[in-house]
């Protein structure tokens, strides 16, 4: 068993590293380092090799000394919420051991991708309030990104054991540093720091949905930021009545008035939880340079949660490095199944023969029933079909992208043309919780105009992934190119009404392109 563990929060170009050592049932934190990878490293085609080389040369010496310590070092990598795709899948009540064979197929279908191109894991199902289906929260990551992390671990001379989600590691760590956390009911935790805000929708202490918003650390936290993210998260949820909401601040400021403003805007009870840095499970080494409050405000709570997410984890975790697998049945169980199936077939044959003997006296009754069925069938064709088609048309309209409204909203928040230009625009229809995915490219004078544009999109309730920004000095005055990827959530009524809707795409069919 490896007692030494390295946790990397991989949020390019930002990278944080935490080194800890297990001592029985507790952890001792030895080192902490946070850095920003240079642009040529973060955008390198050989990212894993170049990032490892840069870290080993630029980071403190303790990272280079891991290989010479004489013991293996385990590596956990945690990814921010906006780097991982989450989807809620509604499945029939199949046995739990069969879910690893079903969930990847359903997830790949929703994302219109090949299953072989994705790393997919899922959380155990939660009750959906219906005896006919069950809800599973699934996560996916492009397989190339997972291979990058695997290669990075080899370059750092570590054994990669865990690739998880920051929302879940936060949920794992919070009970160790707070009291009165709601765990026996549905609740919502809103954790904010200088750089990010995360909303965690929980049921009995387990995650059922997660929201994420990046912040400008130069601006003070405002209640409207949390309210906007909470409303976006709950837009597709149905069970939100009298939902308790708990705020947790990882900043030094008290943010007076935030609780009352949020409670007034949401119409739900809001409580502020205090962070307690005295903990018997996690302690700092005597030579550690930061205090525990400083470490938590720097983002260390997510990394500490990755340490605690082991065999004694209180929260079900996603692990894209080692996803849940099908369990092979033992031979004697197969024999019982085959024997039971044979007995069932024999019983069905006997029952069928007995039933067949009674058919001779039922001809007249069957003829009368056929006449009634024909009358009902005629009614359904003449009347019922119209109603059914109208319902389908309503669902289709709810899930369709209103291009005029979309571009009016884009134009209302788009920076001036001398600051940012869109050069390409692509619309992809989706099923599930979002009805459209928009992929756009463009040029800009500065990074700030790109990030401001993305933040305004997110404030309107759209799910915006962090833009990919590339410097291009040859294209002055527009010295930056960017790619923007966001999804437009469908209304809750449309999501519920279109559980069986699937969108098929052949070649470029169904795509909408725009160029300016």
């Amino acid at each position: 068993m490896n007692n030494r563990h390295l946790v990397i929060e991989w949020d390019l170009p930002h990278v944080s590293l935490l080194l800890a050592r297990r001592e029985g049932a507790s952890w001792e934190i030895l080192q902490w380092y946070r850095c920003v990878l240079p642009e040529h490293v973060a955008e390198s085609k050989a990212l894993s090799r170049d990032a490892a080389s840069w870290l080993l040369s630029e980071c403190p010496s303790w990272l280079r000394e891991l290989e010479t310590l004489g013991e293996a070092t385990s590596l956990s990598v945690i990814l921010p919420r906006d780097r991982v795709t989450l989807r809620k899948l509604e499945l029939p009540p199949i046995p739990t051991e069969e879910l690893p064979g079903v969930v990847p197929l359903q997830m790949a279908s929703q994302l219109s991708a090949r299953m072989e191109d994705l790393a997919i894991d899922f959380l155990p199902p939660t009750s959906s309030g219906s005896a006919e289906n069950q809800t599973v929260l699934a996560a996916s990551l492009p397989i190339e990104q997972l291979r990058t992390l695997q290669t990075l671990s080899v370059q750092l001379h570590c054994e990669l054991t865990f690739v998880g989600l920051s929302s879940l590691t936060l949920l794992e760590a919070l009970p160790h540093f707070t009291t009165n956390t709601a765990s026996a009911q549905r609740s919502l935790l809103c954790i904010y720091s200088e750089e990010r805000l995360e909303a965690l929708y929980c049921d009995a202490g387990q995650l059922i949905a997660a929201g994420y918003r990046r912040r400008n650390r130069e601006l003070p936290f405002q209640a409207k930021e949390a309210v906007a993210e909470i409303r976006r998260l709950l837009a597709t949820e149905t069970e939100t009545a009298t939902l308790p909401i708990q705020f947790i601040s990882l900043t030094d400021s008290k943010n007076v008035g935030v609780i009352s403003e949020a409670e007034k805007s949401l119409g739900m009870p809001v409580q502020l939880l205090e962070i307690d840095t005295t903990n018997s499970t996690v302690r700092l080494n005597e030579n550690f340079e930061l205090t525990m409050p400083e470490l938590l405000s720097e983002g260390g709570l997510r990394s500490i949660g990755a340490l605690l997410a082991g065999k004694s984890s209180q929260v079900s975790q996603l692990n894209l490095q080692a996803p849940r697998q099908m369990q092979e049945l033992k031979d004697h169980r197969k024999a019982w199944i085959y024997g039971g199936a044979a007995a069932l077939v024999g019983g069905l044959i006997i029952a069928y023969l007995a039933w067949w003997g009674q058919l001779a006296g039922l001809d007249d009754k069957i003829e009368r029933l056929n006449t009634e069925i024909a009358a009902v069938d005629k009614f359904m064709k003449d009347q019922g079909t119209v109603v059914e088609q109208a319902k389908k048309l309503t669902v289709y309209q709810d899930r369709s992208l209103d291009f005029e409204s979309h571009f009016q909203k884009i134009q209302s928040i788009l920076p001036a043309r001398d600051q940012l230009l869109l050069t390409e625009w692509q619309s992809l229809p989706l099923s599930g919780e979002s009805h459209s995915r928009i992929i756009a490219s463009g040029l800009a004078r500065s990074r700030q105009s790109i990030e401001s544009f993305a933040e305004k999109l997110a404030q309107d309730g759209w799910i915006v992934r962090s833009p990919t920004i590339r410097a291009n000095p040859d294209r002055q005055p527009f010295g930056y190119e960017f790619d923007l990827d966001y999804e437009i959530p469908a209304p809750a009524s449309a999501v519920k009404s279109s559980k069986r809707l699937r969108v098929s795409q052949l070649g470029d069919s169904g795509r909408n392109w725009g160029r300016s």
Side-chain angles (χ1 to χ4, degrees), residues 258-326:
V258 167
I259 299 301
S260 59
E261 291 179 21
E263 199 166 40
K264 180 178 179 181
S265 299
L266 294 170
M268 297 182 183
V270 179
Q271 174 189 9
L272 178 64
L273 294 185
E274 296 292 338
I275 293 290
D276 182 6
T277 56
T278 59
N279 191 289
S280 60
T281 307
V282 180
R283 66 181 183 87
L284 302 179
N285 183 271
E286 58 183 9
N287 296 323
F288 199 74
E289 296 180 353
L290 301 177
T291 63
M292 184 63 79
E294 291 172 339
L295 176 61
L296 299 185
S297 65
E298 286 289 323
L301 190 62
R302 297 181 290 272
S303 298
I304 292 175
L307 294 176
L308 301 173
K311 293 183 179 180
S312 59
S313 175
Q314 301 298 314
V315 177
S316 297
Q317 295 286 332
L318 294 167
N319 188 354
L320 297 168
Q321 168 63 11
R324 291 170 172 82
Q325 301 289 338
M326 293 280 288

Side-chain angles (χ1 to χ4, degrees), residues 45-83:
K45 293 182 178 179
L47 173 61
S48 55
R49 183 195 63 196
D50 293 347
S53 177
W54 187 88
L55 289 171
L56 290 171
S57 62
E58 299 297 330
C59 289
S61 59
W62 58 262
L63 185 61
R64 295 188 295 274
E65 294 170 356
L66 291 180
E67 184 183 11
T68 63
L69 292 176
E71 60 178 303
T73 301
S74 300
L75 172 62
S76 291
V77 178
I78 51 177
L79 303 171
R81 166 66 183 86
D82 60 350
R83 305 287 183 177

